[in-house]
Amino acid sequence: MADICAYLKKHTEALVKDVGIENACAITGKSKATLGRYYSDNAEHADRFMPVDAVARLEAQSSFPHVTSALADLRNITLSYNETTTDSTRNGNVNSDVIALSQRFAMLMSEYQTAIEDGIITVNETKRLLKETVLLQQVLLEMKLHLEEGPA
């Protein structure tokens, strides 16, 4: 259970940082200290988690649904954006997605190579790898949407 809590707290932190701490405070009506407690790994805050309505408000403003994705991951569920909520100006096609996928994967492998050069993957290197993984996942979701649209 502790692993699940730490996992959710890391994704809560990613969500707040994605939106920006000042914006997150304005969106949720919570203070910086309160938001910090939601993702703190201190024992005194181990049982504190962000309320689901605050998560929903923040994810509506974020570049990626960090907490929702984490919850889905915990249940081995694959997420797909609903077409009614996606940006109708989304452009590109499967060919451009394949190119973007190759580029993003190369970035992930570059970060991985850098991280393992000294035989130790530090916390900062882990964060960079996680960021690249999330960006790779976003490209895959776009590609999935283009494939579901059918041939153009």
Side-chain angles (χ1 to χ4, degrees), residues 40-53:
S40 172
D41 58 2
N42 290 336
E44 64 186 290
H45 303 299
D47 62 344
R48 296 191 79 170
F49 293 92
M50 186 177 286
V52 70
D53 63 322

Side-chain angles (χ1 to χ4, degrees), residues 14-59:
L15 175 61
V16 170
K17 289 182 177 180
D18 183 347
V19 174
I21 189 73
E22 298 292 334
N23 286 337
C25 291
I27 292 166
T28 63
K30 308 285 185 188
S31 69
K32 289 181 186 178
T34 298
L35 291 176
R37 289 181 195 107
Y38 293 145
Y39 53 82
S40 172
D41 58 2
N42 290 336
E44 64 186 290
H45 303 299
D47 62 344
R48 296 191 79 170
F49 293 92
M50 186 177 286
V52 70
D53 63 322
V55 170
R57 284 191 204 105
L58 290 176
E59 286 189 346

Side-chain angles (χ1 to χ4, degrees), residues 52-102:
V52 70
D53 63 322
V55 170
R57 284 191 204 105
L58 290 176
E59 286 189 346
Q61 301 299 313
S62 70
S63 66
F64 186 77
H66 299 278
V67 175
T68 299
S69 177
L71 290 168
D73 288 345
L74 290 171
R75 294 281 303 165
N76 292 323
I77 295 171
T78 302
L79 294 179
S80 176
Y81 290 108
N82 184 336
E83 286 188 47
T84 60
T85 60
T86 59
D87 184 3
S88 60
T89 62
R90 189 169 41 88
N91 54 14
N93 56 38
V94 175
N95 291 335
S96 62
D97 292 336
V98 169
I99 293 168
L101 184 62
S102 297

Side-chain angles (χ1 to χ4, degrees), residues 126-143:
T126 299
K127 287 180 180 179
R128 286 196 304 271
L129 287 167
L130 283 169
K131 180 181 177 188
E132 286 301 328
T133 303
V134 168
L135 293 170
L136 182 64
Q137 184 179 20
Q138 289 173 331
V139 172
L140 285 168
L141 284 172
E142 284 295 315
M143 186 172 185

